[in-house]
Amino acid sequence: MAQYVLSCCSTADLTPEHFAERDIHWFPFHFFMDEKEYLDDLGQSMDYTDFYRKMAEGADTRTAQVNSEEFVEGFEKFLQEGKDVLHVTLSSGLSGVYNSACIARDLLMEKYPDRKIIIIDSLGASSGYGLLMDKLADLRDEGYTLEELAEWAEEHKLDVHHWFFSTDLSFYVKGGRISKAAGWFGTILRICPLLNMDCQGKLIPRYKVRGKKAVINMIVDKMAAHADKGLNYDGKVYISMSACEEDARAVADLVEKRFKKMKGKVEINNVGTTIGSHTGPGTVALFFFGDSRSSDPESASPEKN
């Protein structure tokens, strides 16, 4: 058994059972709904169905990251057990949680100079971040040391592709990502924006696609273009979705039809309450390992029509 703890944040958007099975510790973010605070504890405090229903009914949401005090408390328990820590955070392009984890590390290293805490910025989000964590758990179980695992994570984290589309523009308008006029025209024209995560871990609009069927085909085409080994991809594929299981299943069915060698079936998870507070219902995200986002021209190009 590894003499270190592998941990992440709840924003990796896997299930409690998945994290427990893979022996991955997780720290919950926080969210507020109509000013009442909840833990982003993977759907346990508030069922995802209720969460997205309340958002659709107009509830106000906001989020708060794991703070340094919470990290100090959590990390210190592991250090007192004689274990080192490898913690991977939500992308610094979306949150300041990486800095909070680093502050906690620095405080504890003064108190426990013989122990190690390594903090990695995933530059990822949702179940793409979760896909990276699952791979790190595989390598840990194969015998990677703490330092070897951290080095692998830094070298390969940009190999995880994140492609998102939304069928509901109202929350893009509410969050100020698009204007009210653009949202109105987009709704009338049935525009489904296709976005991806760039090499800085930021979510960038790439295409304006007309119609749900077209965007479902395009997101799978992006996997064919970027996946490791192309249509011979033999890794895992994760999807996360926010209250649109039928759309997620349509993407999963198409992936399973086109990628015959993938490992197992597509795993569909929920977009958690932190990220979902910003996307709203109607978002589907597809995640897989592929060519590095650091060399992907779509990670540096302007939006395409």
Side-chain angles (χ1 to χ4, degrees):
M1 181 178 294
Q3 292 304 304
Y4 59 87
V5 172
L6 179 60
S7 71
C8 63
C9 305
S10 59
T11 44
D13 287 351
L14 301 180
T15 65
E17 294 78 16
H18 191 138
F19 283 130
E21 181 181 345
R22 299 314 316 274
D23 191 21
I24 301 171
H25 181 81
W26 53 276
F27 289 82
F29 267 55
H30 306 258
F31 72 96
F32 297 79
M33 179 161 275
D34 290 334
E35 296 306 313
K36 182 177 180 180
E37 183 176 3
Y38 300 86
L39 284 178
D40 176 5
D41 56 3
L42 310 174
Q44 297 175 100
S45 292
M46 181 180 292
D47 182 84
Y48 292 121
T49 301
D50 291 338
F51 174 77
Y52 287 112
R53 175 182 55 79
K54 290 178 180 180
M55 283 195 77
E57 292 171 350
D60 288 323
T61 58
R62 59 185 177 91
T63 60
Q65 66 192 35
V66 186
N67 61 44
S68 57
E69 291 81 6
E70 290 170 309
F71 279 128
V72 166
E73 181 181 358
F75 291 160
E76 188 163 29
K77 290 179 181 178
F78 302 134
L79 301 180
Q80 289 173 343
E81 294 172 357
K83 292 188 175 182
D84 298 324
V85 178
L86 175 61
H87 181 78
V88 185
T89 72
L90 176 67
S91 172
S92 61
L94 300 176
S95 168
V97 70
Y98 173 76
N99 290 331
S100 295
C102 289
I103 290 169
R105 174 201 61 198
D106 295 345
L107 289 170
L108 289 167
M109 288 302 88
E110 294 180 5
K111 187 175 179 181
Y112 299 90
D114 295 331
R115 299 257 58 92
K116 295 178 182 177
I117 300 175
I118 299 177
I119 309 298
I120 302 288
D121 178 357
S122 73
L123 296 178
S126 195
S127 298
Y129 172 20
L131 183 61
L132 176 64
M133 295 307 303
D134 192 77
K135 179 63 177 180
L136 294 179
D138 286 341
L139 298 175
R140 175 205 60 200
D141 294 347
E142 290 175 14
Y144 274 52
T145 66
L146 174 71
E147 292 79 7
E148 289 171 338
L149 196 62
E151 181 179 2
W152 191 96
E154 289 287 9
E155 290 180 354
H156 295 280
K157 63 189 182 183
L158 288 177
D159 296 347
V160 183
H161 278 252
H162 302 57
W163 287 91
F164 297 72
F165 70 79
S166 179
T167 58
D168 185 345
L169 299 182
S170 61
F171 292 91
Y172 286 75
V173 174
K174 187 176 182 179
R177 293 174 180 84
I178 61 176
S179 68
K180 289 183 179 180
W184 184 84
F185 280 111
T187 300
I188 294 297
L189 296 174
R190 298 183 297 111
I191 297 297
C192 301
L194 181 63
L195 311 89
N196 79 338
M197 190 76 78
D198 71 4
C199 59
Q200 296 180 323
K202 297 178 181 179
L203 194 57
I204 307 296
R206 299 295 179 191
Y207 301 89
K208 297 172 184 174
V209 186
R210 189 169 183 177
K212 187 187 296 186
K213 183 177 180 180
V215 79
I216 287 172
N217 282 308
M218 181 176 280
I219 200 172
V220 179
D221 286 343
K222 289 301 176 185
M223 180 173 172
H226 294 286
D228 181 39
K229 302 178 184 177
L231 293 176
N232 290 317
Y233 179 75
D234 57 5
K236 292 182 179 180
V237 179
Y238 287 176
I239 286 175
S240 59
M241 61 88 193
S242 54
C244 51
E245 188 170 357
E246 184 176 331
D247 296 339
R249 187 68 257 168
V251 175
D253 288 346
L254 190 54
V255 168
E256 290 170 0
K257 180 179 180 180
R258 293 184 65 182
F259 297 86
K260 302 293 189 181
K261 297 182 180 181
M262 60 176 287
K263 188 173 182 180
K265 296 290 186 179
V266 175
E267 181 175 319
I268 300 177
N269 297 294
N270 289 285
V271 175
T273 50
T274 295
I275 296 172
S277 291
H278 302 284
T279 67
T283 293
V284 176
L286 176 64
F287 310 102
F288 54 89
F289 279 94
D291 51 7
S292 176
R293 285 186 273 145
S294 63
S295 59
D296 175 11
E298 288 185 293
S299 288
S301 62
E303 181 179 353
K304 304 173 183 66
N305 293 311

